[in-house]
Amino acid sequence: MTRRAGWLLAALAALAVLVTAGPGGAAKPQRIVAEKAPVLPARVTDGQGKQVTVRDVGRIVSLNGDITETIVTLGLAKNLAGVDLSATYPEKLVTGMQKIGYQRTLAAEGILSLRPSLVIGTPTAGPASTIEQLRSAGVPVLIIPEYKDLDAGARKLRAVGRALGVPKRGEKLARQVETQIALAKREVARAATKPKVAFLYVRGTQVQQIGGVGSGADAMIEAAGGVDVGTTIGIQGFRQLTAESLVAAQPDVLLLLSAGLQSVGGVDGLLRLPGVAQTPAGRNRRVIAHDDLMLLGLGPRTGKALRLLIRGLHPAVR
């Protein structure tokens, strides 16, 4: 056998390992056999370009709610030594966990007191001085990139899975999320209209904003077959809500976080905010409220969240 022929046979054998024949002879990915336990050390490059070697995942401190949910989904809930206050899911699990404060206002002392073997979060976590203090103390710190698109949940599962020594678990779960999103998109393809949606971020009378590009909700609204009015009028992130801008946008539907809607007294209280009652959404009381982390976290439940939003925007689609 020539060297070229031998190389060709080896390549074909490798390809056969990666795919198996599906119905009608089509190729499909081979079933993934996930790790029973983390395989360490894991060497990764984080979202800040830093090379991080993870040798121990026995005491993980998670800095963000979406990262906590991802770790739990990966089957490593027992490895969590502490979580931040934005971690609200699974509620029964995180309620009893040690809290380190809110993700944006963290202190190194409280985190170090938990003797973490790994600290993991996103660029939202901070301040930056706290992250540097943790690194200076010799604690491995891994900052996962800030994913904001519809693929974020799957990408987080893959990135965190690799870092924690369970890449096959991450890949398997990521594919499940991608399948859920694909099925949801099939539903929205049957929708006859594209309602205009305003995402309102409110916290009582103190915080009243409308979201636009990069809010997190914009990706969900678009995927659910709606038009994000904040994006349409050129808002980057969030802008103070005004009656004039809301009335001009004329949204058909108002999308809020559940806690935010509760903070203004429900739908009746929302309708008392300036401009809300003068929109088609206000006149028809078309208000949708979703769990904070489920809608904006863009985590493992993205597919489920998308399906719920589709049903809210397109009641006739089933």
Side-chain angles (χ1 to χ4, degrees):
M1 180 184 298
T2 66
R3 179 178 297 182
R4 181 177 178 84
W7 176 89
L8 180 59
L9 287 174
L12 290 172
L15 182 62
V17 171
L18 292 175
V19 298
T20 56
K28 66 177 182 179
Q30 188 180 36
R31 183 174 68 90
I32 297 173
V33 179
E35 302 87 355
K36 292 183 179 180
V39 179
L40 299 170
R43 296 177 177 85
V44 295
T45 301
D46 76 358
Q48 297 179 333
K50 296 185 180 296
Q51 302 289 325
V52 181
T53 299
V54 180
R55 304 182 188 279
D56 182 0
V57 293
R59 293 187 62 80
I60 303 170
V61 171
S62 173
L63 306 181
N64 310 85
D66 56 328
I67 297 300
T68 296
E69 182 177 340
T70 301
I71 292 169
V72 171
T73 303
L74 287 165
L76 296 172
K78 292 181 179 179
N79 298 58
L80 284 165
V83 300
D84 90 299
L85 293 173
S86 71
T88 58
Y89 181 87
E91 184 177 0
K92 290 184 179 180
L93 178 68
V94 300
T95 297
M97 286 185 175
Q98 187 72 41
K99 302 301 190 298
I100 59 171
Y102 182 62
Q103 57 184 342
R104 296 181 185 272
T105 55
L106 300 169
E109 293 78 8
I111 296 172
L112 292 171
S113 71
L114 299 177
R115 298 175 289 107
S117 60
L118 174 67
V119 173
I120 182 169
T122 72
T124 301
S129 57
T130 294
I131 303 302
E132 289 308 311
Q133 279 182 269
L134 294 171
R135 288 189 173 122
S136 297
V139 177
V141 177
L142 185 69
I143 302 299
I144 300 297
E146 191 80 70
Y147 301 121
K148 284 291 187 180
D149 55 21
L150 202 65
D151 297 327
R155 296 171 76 181
K156 289 173 190 175
L157 284 163
R158 290 187 173 103
V160 177
R162 286 194 298 270
L164 302 187
V166 287
K168 292 180 181 178
R169 286 191 203 176
E171 181 62 31
K172 184 175 183 178
L173 291 163
R175 291 185 185 183
Q176 290 177 6
V177 173
E178 289 168 342
T179 298
Q180 292 169 352
I181 291 173
L183 290 173
K185 286 183 174 180
R186 289 184 189 177
E187 286 189 6
V188 80
R190 300 196 297 270
T193 61
K194 291 178 73 71
K196 294 192 293 184
V197 185
F199 172 57
L200 305 184
Y201 183 86
V202 298
R203 285 293 185 267
T205 59
Q206 301 301 312
V207 179
Q208 297 174 5
Q209 300 175 326
I210 180 170
V213 178
S215 70
D218 59 328
M220 295 292 288
I221 291 169
E222 180 182 358
V227 176
D228 179 32
V229 298
T231 296
T232 301
I233 62 179
I235 295 175
Q236 297 291 324
F238 292 89
R239 182 188 297 172
Q240 181 66 31
L241 179 66
T242 65
E244 294 77 13
S245 62
L246 190 60
V247 172
Q250 289 290 288
D252 303 304
V253 182
L254 299 175
L255 174 63
L256 286 85
L257 303 177
S258 301
L261 183 60
Q262 184 178 2
S263 75
V264 294
V267 175
D268 290 335
L270 179 66
L271 291 173
R272 288 193 287 270
L273 296 185
V276 173
Q278 286 71 53
T279 65
R283 289 193 293 269
N284 297 316
R285 298 176 69 90
R286 284 203 68 186
V287 178
I288 299 173
H290 282 188
D291 172 74
D292 297 34
L293 190 58
M294 189 171 187
L295 178 67
L296 292 187
L298 295 173
R301 291 180 293 162
T302 298
K304 296 178 181 178
L306 180 58
R307 176 166 285 187
L308 283 175
L309 185 55
I310 289 169
R311 300 288 173 85
L313 296 183
H314 311 282
V317 174
R318 285 292 184 272

